Amino acid sequence: MDRAATRRGVTTVPTALGDDVHIILGGCGRLGAEIAEQLSRDRDNDVVIVDVDPLAFDRLGSAFNGETMVGDCTDRDVLERAGVARADGLIAVTRFDNRNLMAVEIASYLYDVPRTIARLFNPERENVYRKLGVRYVSSTGAIAKMFLNEFQDESFPLHVRFEDSDINLVELEIDTGGHGTTVEDFEIDGLLRVAAIRRGSRVFIPDRTDRLERDDVVTAAMKPAAARTVHEFVRDPYGRDRIR
C-alpha cells in the first residue's frame, strides 16, 4: 500500500486479495461497540478497539470478533501496540472532541494511516476540522438534520444530506404508479439519479433498462425539485402504507 500517496491527498484503498484490513477503533461507547461489531463481521477486517475503561468492553456483544485493548487512543505507545504502523484505518469515537481529533492527527501525520475519521460533538468546530483536512462525522449535526428532515412535509427518509448543497441521498418506496417504469424513465436529468434498489432481501445496482417493481425501495440522489415529479411513482413518505 502506497502510504506516501495518501500524504499527497490521495485516498488509498486496500486492494490486495487475501490481506487483512487492520482497523483501530478508539472508544467503546455504544457507538464504538456497534461499529466494532459490524466491522468485525467481515472476516477480512482485523479490528482492535481501544478504551481507557476496561468495563466499556462489556458493551461488545458475542458477535464481536476482534481484539480489545485498555488504553488511551491518543497514547502513541497504546496505538503502536494496537498496530497503528500497519493500520489501514482508524476511527475515533470517544466522548471527547479533542481526544478524537488528536487520535486521527497522530494516526494520519505520524503513521500515515490512509483512512481516519473522528467523531465530532461540537458543530462549531466543523470549520476547524475542514481546514485541517480531518474527515469527521458530526453527531449533533447529523442527528439534528435527521430530525428536521422527518419534521418537514413531503420529505423522504434521509440517508445523507450533503453540506452546502440541496442534494440529498434518500429512500423512495415504489408504489403502483411506478410499477413497470424503467430506471431511465424514473430518473430526471440534473434532479434525480438512482444508486441502488432493494427488492425483498436483494440489493443491486440497476441498469437503466431495468424496470421498477411495486414495493421496491430505491436509494437515489435527489434534489427537492424532483419530489413533485416522482410523487406519482412513489408512496407518500408519511402514508400509513409505508414499508418498514
Side-chain angles (χ1 to χ4, degrees):
M1 183 176 298
D2 184 3
R3 300 291 170 87
T6 304
R7 305 302 304 122
R8 293 191 294 271
V10 178
T11 300
T12 306
V13 180
T15 57
L17 296 176
D19 289 346
D20 286 342
V21 178
H22 189 66
I23 304 168
I24 300 173
L25 225 157
C28 194
R30 291 187 181 89
L31 176 61
E34 182 176 345
I35 294 172
E37 287 183 23
Q38 293 193 28
L39 286 173
S40 70
R41 288 174 188 168
D42 188 334
R43 294 181 179 179
D44 290 333
N45 288 340
D46 177 19
V47 181
V48 180
I49 185 164
V50 178
D51 199 287
V52 294
D53 181 5
L55 296 179
F57 303 125
D58 291 344
R59 296 188 179 96
L60 294 168
S62 58
F64 177 64
N65 185 29
E67 299 179 40
T68 60
M69 181 175 295
V70 178
D72 187 334
C73 61
T74 64
D75 186 321
R76 290 185 60 180
D77 289 337
V78 172
L79 288 175
E80 288 181 0
R81 284 191 286 116
V84 69
R86 59 185 175 87
D88 300 290
L90 180 140
I91 303 171
V93 289
T94 76
R95 294 177 297 154
F96 306 100
D97 285 350
N98 288 341
R99 184 175 294 174
N100 294 334
L101 177 59
M102 186 178 298
V104 300
E105 295 245 279
I106 290 171
S108 299
Y109 292 101
L110 298 183
Y111 295 97
D112 288 335
V113 176
R115 290 192 173 188
T116 58
I117 304 173
R119 184 181 189 181
L120 174 63
F121 286 94
N122 186 352
E124 293 180 0
R125 297 184 178 181
E126 288 190 17
N127 287 335
V128 175
Y129 276 52
R130 287 198 194 102
K131 290 178 181 178
L132 291 173
V134 175
R135 296 180 66 179
Y136 66 91
V137 174
S138 174
S139 302
T140 303
I143 292 171
K145 288 171 184 175
M146 290 175 69
F147 273 99
L148 288 170
N149 181 77
E150 290 298 323
F151 193 71
Q152 293 169 354
D153 292 336
E154 299 184 355
S155 60
F156 293 94
L158 182 69
H159 279 289
V160 175
R161 171 168 288 166
F162 298 103
E163 294 291 339
D164 304 320
S165 172
D166 61 347
I167 299 173
N168 297 321
L169 199 61
V170 300
E171 281 189 350
L172 305 168
E173 297 170 355
I174 302 302
D175 206 350
T176 305
H179 182 82
T181 303
T182 65
V183 170
E184 183 175 13
D185 289 338
F186 184 75
E187 293 182 329
I188 306 170
D189 286 344
L191 296 178
L192 186 148
R193 279 289 178 269
V194 173
I197 295 174
R198 184 170 79 241
R199 181 170 294 162
S201 60
R202 180 188 173 212
V203 179
F204 61 97
I205 298 175
D207 294 328
R208 301 192 73 188
T209 57
D210 285 341
R211 293 187 179 275
L212 302 173
E213 297 182 6
R214 188 177 185 272
D215 294 341
D216 281 351
V217 179
V218 175
T219 300
M222 188 179 86
K223 290 189 173 184
R228 187 172 298 177
T229 303
V230 300
H231 184 74
E232 61 182 296
F233 301 115
V234 302
R235 286 190 175 90
D236 182 338
Y238 285 92
R240 292 186 181 272
D241 58 347
R242 180 173 168 183
I243 300 172
R244 292 292 179 184

